[in-house]
Amino acid sequence: MTEISNSKPNRFEHLKFGFLNLFRISDLEFRIFSSILLSSFFLLSSPLFAAESKHAMVATADPHSTRAALEVLQKGGNAVDAAIAAQWVLNVVEPQGSGIGGGGFFLYYEAATKHVYSFDGREAAPGDAYPEMFLDPKTGEPYPFYPSRITGGLSVGVPGVLKMLQTVHDRFGSEAISFGDLFLPAIKLARNGFPVSSRLAKLIDQEKDRLKLFPASAKIFLDTKGDALAAGAILFQPDLAGTFEWIRKDGIDIFYAGDIARDIVRAVRTAPFHPGLMSFPDLENYKVNERAPVRGSYRGYDLYSMGPPSSGGLAILQALQILELYDLSSLGRSVKGLHLLAEAQTIAFEDRSRYLGDPAYSQIPLEKLLSKNYARERSQEINWEFARNSLRGKLHNPNLEGIHTTHISIVDEQGNMVAFTTTIESVFGSGIVVPGRGFVLNNELTDFDLIKSAIRNPKSAIHPNAPEGDKRPRSSMTPTFVFRNGQPFMIVGSPGGSTIIGTVLNIIVNVIDFEMKLADAIQAPKLIHRGEFIEMESGLYQQRKILNGLGKLHHTVMLKESFGNAQVILFDLARRVITGASDPRGEGEAKGY
Ligand code: GLY
C-alpha cells in the first residue's frame, strides 16, 4: 500500500534551514532543486507526539499551551475556552508565530446542534491602503520580498485575533471561566519566564537582523550584545504580561479604541523601516466576520473548512474532488500516484491565483469551483505523460514556509470541536514589537499579490488579491473538520503559508486513502505542489526511483527536509477512542483524558 514505515514516533528536534541550489544531476536527466542543510538534524523519540484518550483531546504546537488548554477543560471550560487559553500561551512561547498582534480563522463545531461555524479574524489592510503601496517609488518595482517587504510598518494589517476570540467566547464560551481569566496561564508564563527552545533560538537568530531594527523587539529577543537569546536562556516578557493583565481587567476596548490602539498606530506609522498607513479608526472599526464554511465531500466523508478570504478550504476541496475520480489507494506512492497528487494541487492553485481574495471585493465563483462536475472537467486536463507546470516563476525563500503560523485542534467532553489556525504571517511578523506592550505586529499584508498588470494598467480590473483599503489579504490557512456519516472523524490544520494546503491534503489522503494510523499519516513525507513545481519531503520514499519517474514526466522537484507542523485529532467511533497527534517536525504535544 505505501512505503511508509511504522517506526516509532520521532521528533525533529532541530528545524532545518537551507538555501536553494539549482544544479544538474547527470544521471537523472532532469533538473532538481535541493535544499542543502545548514543545521544539524536529529530524530529523537518523543512520548508526546501522539496520545489516546476517551473524553477530550488537545493538540497544539507547544506543551505549555496544550497543558493550559487541558487545565481549562478540566476546570469545566469547553473547547472554545481551551483554545483561547492556548492561543495566549502560544503568544508567549511561540512569539514568532501568532498572537494578539495577528489574525486567524476559527472553525467551531457545536455538538448539541451539530452545526459548524466559521469566524474570520483576518487582519485587514488600513483604509488608506492602495494597490501600488508595495512598489518602490524609485524603481516602480515591488520591494524585494525578504527581508524588505516583510519588515516594518507598511505590511502590518489591523490585528483581528483578539476581537475574534472575544466574539467566539461571547457566543460559545462556557460560563466556567471568564474571557479575562483565560489570559491567566499566559500572564504567569510571560512573567515567570520559560527556557527558550532550540527551535525558538534558531528562529530568533535567523531573524535577528530584522529584530535589531526595532529597539523594543531587540530588547526582548536579543541579548545586550545584539545576539539572539540562546537555547535554554530564560525568556521573560513582562510587557506582554502587562498587556494581557490590562485587557483581562479592562476588556478589549483598550486594544481597539484606547491606549494600546494608539501605541499600535504610533509603532506602525513611525517605524524606522517602511513606516505604515494604519490609523486609529482602522482599529476602532475592525470587524470580525462570521462566514459560511466551505463544504464538500470526499469518498463519502464530509469536509468543512475555511472559506474566503482563505483559499485553503476551497483548494483542498478542489484537489480532493479531482483525486476522488481515481483509485488513489491502488496507485499509492507510485510515480503515477504522485503525479496525480501533484496535478490535482496544481489545478487547485491555478484557480486560487485567479479568483481568490477578499470576497467583499470580487465575485468568487464558489459554487462552480466546488462542484463535482467542475472537478471532472478539470481532471480531463491531466496529461499522464507531461507535468502541467514544471517551473514557473520564483519562490521567495520557500524554506521558511514551514515554520510560521500555528494551529490548535481541540475536542471537549461534550464533543464540541475547534480547529483554529492563527498567525502573525512571517517568522516574527513585521519584526515590530509595540514599545511597552511586548507583542509582535503581523506583516499579513505581504499575503497580497502584486500583480503588475492589475496594478499598473488602468484598464485592467484590480486583481482579487491586490492591496486595497480595508481589504483582507488572501490566506492559505486551512482549519478543517472531516465527518463520516454525520459523526466527527478528524480535526486538522497546520502552519506553513501556502504549504498549509498541501500539508492538510496529504494528511487527509494518508488517513482516508492509505488507511494509515494517525501517527504515520502525520509523519509520512509529503508531496506538495503550489502551482510551480513539486516540493517533496525527503526521507522515506524510494527516492531515486521516484525522482527518476517524476523527472521523466518533466516535473521539477525540490527536496525539502520538512514543512508544516500539523495538529490533528482523529476519532475512532467503533473503539470509542480519540487519538491526537502533534507533528513530530515541531515541538508540540497532543494530550487528552
Ligand atoms: N499567514 C499565512 C496565511 O494566512 O496563509
Side-chain angles (χ1 to χ4, degrees):
M1 192 169 58
T2 70
E3 297 165 37
I4 307 307
S5 80
N6 280 327
S7 59
K8 80 183 179 145
N10 289 314
R11 167 183 295 267
F12 288 68
E13 185 64 26
H14 293 249
L15 273 180
K16 284 67 63 179
F17 307 113
F19 58 87
L20 293 180
N21 185 16
L22 182 65
F23 62 97
R24 193 169 285 278
I25 297 178
S26 55
D27 63 337
L28 295 182
E29 296 178 329
F30 64 91
R31 295 193 305 167
I32 175 171
F33 278 126
S34 177
S35 60
I36 297 180
L37 298 187
L38 295 179
S39 64
S40 58
F41 166 48
F42 299 112
L43 294 172
L44 299 174
S45 290
S46 165
L48 310 174
F49 163 47
E52 284 192 348
S53 73
K54 288 282 181 197
H55 306 290
M57 179 62 72
V58 176
T60 80
D62 190 278
H64 292 99
S65 55
T66 296
R67 210 171 304 134
L70 274 176
E71 277 171 21
V72 167
L73 294 179
Q74 282 161 338
K75 279 186 193 151
N78 65 14
V80 169
D81 304 331
I84 296 169
Q87 164 66 96
W88 303 138
V89 170
L90 286 170
N91 191 159
V92 177
V93 294
E94 279 193 322
Q96 82 287 351
S98 74
I100 202 163
F105 295 120
F106 197 97
L107 217 61
Y108 177 59
Y109 170 72
E110 189 178 48
T113 57
K114 291 184 175 285
H115 193 83
V116 177
Y117 298 86
S118 73
F119 291 88
D120 161 8
R122 182 74 167 162
E123 300 90 331
D128 288 340
Y130 55 100
E132 300 83 2
M133 65 186 279
F134 289 109
L135 302 188
D136 184 338
K138 287 194 210 109
T139 63
E141 293 297 319
Y143 295 120
F145 190 83
Y146 187 93
S148 174
R149 204 188 315 161
I150 67 165
T151 305
L154 202 55
S155 61
V156 181
V158 181
V161 80
L162 175 62
K163 203 171 230 182
M164 180 179 75
L165 294 183
Q166 172 83 70
T167 304
V168 296
H169 189 265
D170 290 349
R171 289 275 297 279
F172 304 110
S174 76
E175 307 211 326
I177 307 175
S178 68
F179 183 71
D181 282 355
L182 293 170
F183 283 104
L184 286 173
I187 292 171
K188 193 167 160 198
L189 205 54
R191 210 164 259 150
N192 296 347
F194 69 96
V196 171
S197 69
S198 54
R199 174 178 185 247
L200 178 55
K202 277 182 196 300
L203 293 173
I204 298 173
D205 192 49
Q206 170 197 301
E207 299 300 318
K208 69 171 184 269
D209 289 341
R210 294 205 305 128
L211 295 169
K212 265 182 202 161
L213 295 172
F214 309 101
S217 311
K219 190 180 99 183
I220 299 172
F221 301 115
L222 307 180
D223 64 18
T224 44
K225 285 188 276 169
D227 291 326
L229 290 184
I234 304 298
L235 175 56
F236 297 99
Q237 297 172 82
D239 289 347
L240 181 60
T243 297
F244 284 164
E245 188 61 59
W246 198 7
I247 297 170
R248 175 173 110 81
K249 290 207 180 105
D250 290 359
I252 72 166
D253 280 355
I254 49 159
F255 187 95
Y256 285 100
D259 286 353
I260 299 180
R262 270 182 273 280
D263 292 339
I264 293 171
V265 170
R266 191 176 314 114
V268 167
R269 295 187 82 96
T270 64
F273 188 77
H274 283 332
L277 306 169
M278 197 184 297
S279 66
F280 191 78
D282 289 328
L283 279 145
E284 263 185 316
N285 297 329
Y286 181 82
K287 282 200 174 41
V288 174
N289 291 317
E290 183 182 348
R291 300 187 183 275
V294 286
R295 293 178 57 177
S297 70
Y298 180 62
R299 302 192 200 281
Y301 293 79
D302 295 305
L303 285 91
Y304 289 72
S305 193
M306 194 66 216
S310 184
S311 60
L314 190 71
I316 56 159
L317 289 171
Q318 279 192 260
L320 286 170
Q321 295 192 139
I322 292 172
L323 294 176
E324 189 179 39
L325 301 166
Y326 304 90
D327 184 357
L328 193 57
S329 67
S330 298
L331 291 171
R333 288 293 206 271
S334 65
V335 170
K336 193 169 176 190
L338 294 173
H339 177 61
L340 174 61
L341 197 57
E343 298 305 88
Q345 292 179 66
T346 312
I347 291 171
F349 264 81
E350 282 173 11
D351 285 338
R352 174 186 183 272
S353 303
R354 182 161 171 206
Y355 296 114
L356 266 286
D358 184 334
Y361 289 72
S362 60
Q363 243 354 76
I364 303 170
L366 276 183
E367 207 177 312
K368 171 183 142 185
L369 297 177
L370 286 170
S371 76
K372 300 270 185 199
N373 273 347
Y374 182 69
R376 205 165 295 114
E377 221 175 87
R378 295 303 302 272
S379 72
Q380 304 300 314
E381 296 172 22
I382 295 175
N383 182 335
W384 295 97
E385 307 296 326
F386 214 98
R388 188 175 180 85
N389 285 334
S390 190
L391 182 62
R392 278 189 169 174
K394 287 185 200 142
L395 282 177
H396 56 270
N397 214 348
N399 278 318
L400 305 180
E401 281 282 27
I403 46 189
H404 55 70
T405 308
T406 197
H407 179 84
I408 296 166
S409 291
I410 300 182
V411 60
D412 66 24
E413 284 187 61
Q414 288 71 44
N416 303 306
M417 304 191 295
V418 168
F420 172 26
T421 313
T422 172
T423 186
I424 52 171
E425 173 54 9
S426 301
V427 176
F428 289 104
S430 63
I432 301 175
V433 165
V434 178
R437 304 298 175 215
F439 61 89
V440 181
L441 288 170
N442 71 84
N443 60 349
E444 216 65 52
L445 305 191
T446 58
D447 271 349
F448 281 127
D449 276 332
L450 301 186
I451 298 182
K452 283 199 195 164
S453 58
I455 289 172
R456 294 210 186 140
N457 179 354
K459 287 197 196 119
S460 71
I462 298 278
H463 185 272
N465 193 38
E468 291 184 80
D470 299 320
K471 193 174 185 178
R472 298 181 184 204
R474 181 185 63 216
S475 170
S476 303
M477 294 192 282
T478 316
T480 300
F481 296 141
V482 184
F483 295 84
R484 187 187 200 177
N485 302 325
Q487 300 295 325
F489 178 73
M490 189 194 283
I491 310 173
V492 55
S494 175
S498 51
T499 68
I500 292 173
I501 294 165
T503 293
V504 171
L505 179 78
N506 274 255
I507 292 169
I508 291 174
V509 161
N510 287 346
V511 170
I512 293 181
D513 293 274
F514 301 139
E515 297 177 1
M516 287 185 195
K517 290 200 164 81
L518 182 57
D520 294 334
I522 200 168
Q523 191 166 249
K526 297 184 279 287
L527 182 145
I528 287 179
H529 203 306
R530 292 186 273 167
E532 294 178 302
F533 49 81
I534 289 176
E535 295 161 271
M536 199 165 80
E537 285 178 318
S538 53
L540 301 178
Y541 290 108
Q542 286 183 355
Q543 206 157 282
R544 175 153 294 234
K545 196 172 133 212
I546 294 290
L547 291 176
N548 264 321
L550 290 171
K552 284 192 183 125
L553 298 180
H554 307 274
H555 279 289
T556 300
V557 181
M558 181 170 76
L559 292 179
K560 290 176 81 169
E561 279 309 319
S562 77
F563 23 50
N565 188 8
Q567 310 299 325
V568 191
I569 294 174
L570 195 66
F571 299 85
D572 182 337
L573 292 174
R575 287 172 58 224
R576 303 182 74 76
V577 167
I578 307 168
T579 307
S582 179
D583 201 322
R585 295 161 184 80
E587 300 175 326
E589 178 178 14
K591 209 169 180 182
Y593 61 87

